[in-house]
Amino acid sequence: MKILFLSIFSIFLLSAFDRADSSAHYDKILTHSRIRAREQGPNVCALQQVMGTKKKYFSTCRNWYQGAICGKKATVLYECCPGYMKMDGMRGCPAVAPIDHVYGTLGIVGATSTQQYSDMSKLREEIEGKGSFTFFAPSNEAWNLLEPEIHKNLIDNVNIELYNALHHHMLNKRMLTKDLKNGMTVVSMYNDLKLLINHYPNGVVTVNCARIIHGNQIATNGVVHVIDRVLTPVGNTIQDYLEVEDDLSSLRAASIASEVLDTLGKPGHYTLFAPTNEAFEKLPRGVLERIMGDKVAAEALIKFHILNTLQCSEAIMGGAVYETLEGNTVEVGCDGESLTVNGIKMVKKKDIVTSNGVIHLIDKVLIPDSAKQVLELGGAQQTTFTDLMAQLGLASSLRPEGQYTLLAPLNGAFSDDTLRMDQRLLKLILQNHVLKVKIGLNELYNGQQLETLGGKLLRVFVYRTAVCIENSCMVRGSKEGRNGILHLFSEIIKPAEKSLHETLKNNKQFRLSM
């Protein structure tokens, strides 16, 4: 009778789980995994495993059809969906897995190290008994990854340290993945310390940035979720961490100067890409001093390193764009085990979890356009223009406190003949690509005249699909900096020297009758 009751109870809970809230991304991805594996039989889920690792994922459509996760090839595995098991001679996983108390369930999901430590620390009696618990159980691999000194301290003091550490992984109520909402905090059973939950659209669920790798294993007195790392207590804010970390003293000083540091001490869900001291030392001479001497630019610089959302590394399975506190965006992606920012591997250490967010240490300072001087806005396609501006002494005429517009031709616009010109003539040409005022694209209109640094007037022509100045049309990619705007042009701009009448009059091919 008891076995029959437990089976019915298990089926009831699994049915409740199947009717999950539509906002439960983990459950949606799990449903898709069932669909992909339907030809393998009932209750089979398809997973992707990153080649060369033990990492397995219920994948999004994007990762599934790419056949890769974080740019690395992934193989397809078929396993029983959580809560089900195989039966000899039958296809798929037709049987509901046996249901046991939390202690027994740790063995069912293969978290045997956590089960052993529960026995050693005298936690076993509690999780075999009455109650309703959620146990975020570290996998065997997670315990092996724990720093040896911390691991040893736990094992040497099982009745206090290990017992408390395991309680830190537990809640005193059952919570399935559908109950774990993005951004919520839950209270652990150790000193009421909080655990931060993130439930991402790609189906990844994290607890203090530890990923749930096997969720919703129902127990008679709760539920077990297997996680990929051991949780350590978190008490400090991002501000607290910056104030004591020696390798972040340059960032700390810049955050104080820009008056942003206090923001990182407030409640929230931030992600900080924190440049190390070494990263600041890589900046060109004078750049940091100039930015720090300008409060607006300094604030923009620091805020460009902060997201107003919490992005754990384990939730990043491909590139995505996120808005920073500065207002512009960065692309955060991954390449194997490495995180990338704007396509560049620069993250030295991941997932330093705090009470109000997470920190990733990076070895490069990210400078937003809003903190750059206008000439610094030039990219790889405008190096000829920016180099000539510096060589011919025009860069020094662009004062930091001024406001300018650069009309920057692409590299291909400069022919060999142009580059061989007398430098005085070349300087005059470039002066006519600098306006004395800052003018955005939305401020240009047909028939407008713009005065250049060289004293010439340039005419604006607005067409249905293009905006042109004299003979050259704009190319997509305008940028706005601290002291001006840079627009891209397909050709070198040639100011009109004569009127139409004078041009026709001097050309013998035409005859004018007045």
Side-chain angles (χ1 to χ4, degrees):
M1 180 63 72
K2 181 179 179 182
I3 294 174
L4 176 61
F5 168 75
L6 291 178
S7 297
I8 294 172
F9 178 66
S10 177
I11 292 170
F12 168 76
L13 286 174
L14 287 169
S15 299
F17 166 59
D18 287 341
R19 296 192 300 269
D21 189 319
S22 61
S23 65
H25 303 296
Y26 177 92
D27 300 343
K28 288 181 181 179
I29 299 297
L30 190 65
T31 298
H32 291 165
S33 294
R34 281 175 175 266
I35 294 171
R36 292 176 186 134
R38 59 184 177 271
E39 294 182 0
Q40 306 299 317
N43 305 316
V44 177
C45 284
L47 297 88
Q48 285 182 299
Q49 181 171 1
V50 181
M51 290 186 67
T53 75
K54 294 183 178 180
K55 285 191 170 185
K56 295 186 289 188
Y57 297 86
F58 298 114
S59 293
T60 61
C61 291
R62 177 183 176 185
N63 292 116
W64 180 263
Y65 290 112
Q66 286 179 344
I69 294 174
C70 287
K72 302 299 180 185
K73 186 173 176 58
T75 56
V76 177
L77 300 178
Y78 296 103
E79 296 182 357
C80 290
C81 296
Y84 295 93
M85 60 182 290
K86 292 180 176 294
M87 289 189 69
D88 290 341
M90 300 184 69
R91 293 180 69 248
C93 304
V96 175
I99 187 168
D100 202 347
H101 42 58
V102 168
Y103 178 81
T105 303
L106 292 174
I108 293 172
V109 296
T112 53
S113 294
T114 301
Q115 187 182 47
Q116 178 187 355
Y117 294 151
S118 299
D119 213 349
M120 292 167 56
S121 63
K122 310 303 180 186
L123 181 66
R124 176 175 179 172
E125 183 178 350
E126 182 178 346
I127 59 178
E128 283 183 337
K130 295 179 179 180
S132 182
F133 308 106
T134 298
F135 204 140
F136 299 109
S139 66
N140 294 346
E141 291 79 10
W143 287 106
N144 293 333
L145 292 173
L146 189 62
E147 292 182 22
E149 185 177 350
I150 296 176
H151 201 169
K152 183 177 184 300
N153 289 340
L154 294 175
I155 301 304
D156 287 348
N157 193 350
V158 294
N159 293 329
I160 298 177
E161 296 296 337
L162 184 59
Y163 179 82
N164 291 339
L166 292 173
H167 257 182
H168 184 53
H169 291 73
M170 293 176 60
L171 313 178
N172 63 358
K173 59 181 176 180
R174 176 191 288 114
M175 297 191 75
L176 303 176
T177 51
K178 69 182 180 64
D179 305 313
L180 301 174
K181 308 297 185 183
N182 189 52
M184 76 185 299
T185 53
V186 293
V187 179
S188 79
M189 293 176 63
Y190 171 59
N191 278 357
D192 290 338
L193 288 180
K194 293 180 179 179
L195 302 176
L196 180 60
I197 304 298
N198 284 96
H199 197 144
Y200 297 95
N202 62 4
V204 171
V205 183
T206 61
V207 185
N208 283 4
C209 283
R211 178 170 68 96
I212 292 180
I213 57 178
H214 185 118
N216 299 317
Q217 190 69 36
I218 301 297
T220 55
N221 58 347
V223 63
V224 173
H225 305 292
V226 182
I227 57 177
D228 69 351
R229 67 186 74 172
V230 178
L231 304 178
T232 53
V234 174
N236 295 333
T237 65
I238 294 176
Q239 179 183 9
D240 295 331
Y241 186 85
L242 293 185
E243 287 178 340
V244 299
E245 188 63 30
D246 291 340
D247 197 32
L248 298 176
S249 59
S250 296
L251 176 61
R252 178 169 64 246
S255 300
I256 293 171
S258 62
E259 300 182 1
V260 178
L261 185 61
D262 288 345
T263 300
L264 298 175
K266 297 176 181 178
H269 299 92
Y270 303 111
T271 299
L272 172 64
F273 294 99
T276 61
N277 292 343
E278 182 184 359
F280 279 97
E281 291 168 3
K282 293 178 182 178
L283 289 175
R285 181 178 298 178
V287 170
L288 182 60
E289 289 77 6
R290 173 181 59 75
I291 294 176
M292 287 298 104
D294 179 345
K295 185 179 177 181
V296 174
E299 183 179 354
L301 175 74
I302 300 304
K303 286 187 173 181
F304 193 57
H305 292 79
I306 305 170
L307 310 182
N308 201 23
T309 56
L310 197 154
Q311 299 299 324
C312 298
S313 65
E314 282 298 318
I316 298 169
M317 299 167 65
V321 174
Y322 301 96
E323 185 175 350
T324 68
L325 291 190
E326 182 264 345
N328 284 304
T329 60
V330 293
E331 182 182 356
V332 182
C334 52
D335 185 352
E337 292 291 322
S338 302
L339 283 187
T340 61
V341 182
N342 292 337
I344 302 172
K345 286 185 182 181
M346 62 174 69
V347 179
K348 297 178 62 178
K349 186 176 181 180
K350 303 178 288 188
D351 294 336
I352 301 169
V353 181
T354 69
S355 61
N356 63 343
V358 64
I359 302 170
H360 306 297
L361 301 185
I362 59 176
D363 61 7
K364 183 179 180 181
V365 178
L366 307 172
I367 303 180
D369 290 344
S370 58
K372 293 179 180 178
Q373 294 291 289
V374 65
L375 200 59
E376 295 172 342
L377 297 174
Q381 292 183 306
Q382 303 89 48
T383 53
T384 302
F385 174 77
T386 55
D387 289 348
L388 287 173
M389 288 284 290
Q391 292 169 18
L392 299 174
L394 291 174
S396 58
S397 66
L398 305 178
R399 304 185 313 277
E401 67 276 10
Q403 291 292 305
Y404 305 95
T405 302
L406 300 187
L407 313 175
L410 300 176
N411 293 340
F414 292 89
S415 66
D416 291 340
D417 290 340
T418 302
L419 296 175
R420 283 195 292 264
M421 282 182 176
D422 182 277
Q423 290 206 341
R424 288 171 296 180
L425 182 57
L426 196 53
K427 185 174 182 179
L428 289 174
I429 291 174
L430 291 185
Q431 284 178 329
N432 290 327
H433 288 76
V434 182
L435 306 181
K436 297 178 179 180
V437 293
K438 182 169 76 171
I439 299 180
L441 179 60
N442 58 355
E443 298 175 275
L444 296 173
Y445 58 88
N446 193 61
Q448 187 177 11
Q449 290 189 320
L450 309 171
E451 185 178 359
T452 71
L453 203 61
K456 296 289 185 180
L457 290 177
L458 303 178
R459 297 168 297 174
V460 178
F461 302 95
V462 178
Y463 303 101
R464 186 182 298 274
T465 59
V467 175
C468 305
I469 295 181
E470 296 297 349
N471 61 298
S472 185
C473 293
M474 278 192 186
V475 177
R476 189 186 301 271
S478 297
K479 298 179 181 180
E480 183 172 358
R482 185 73 182 98
N483 67 334
I485 290 178
L486 180 142
H487 299 301
L488 308 184
F489 283 82
S490 57
E491 303 290 340
I492 293 175
I493 297 171
K494 298 175 182 177
E497 300 293 339
K498 299 177 182 179
S499 68
L500 178 61
H501 181 269
E502 290 173 323
T503 301
L504 293 175
K505 183 178 179 180
N506 294 335
N507 192 322
K508 295 180 179 180
Q509 296 182 37
F510 298 95
R511 180 178 178 181
L512 299 178
S513 57
M514 303 297 290

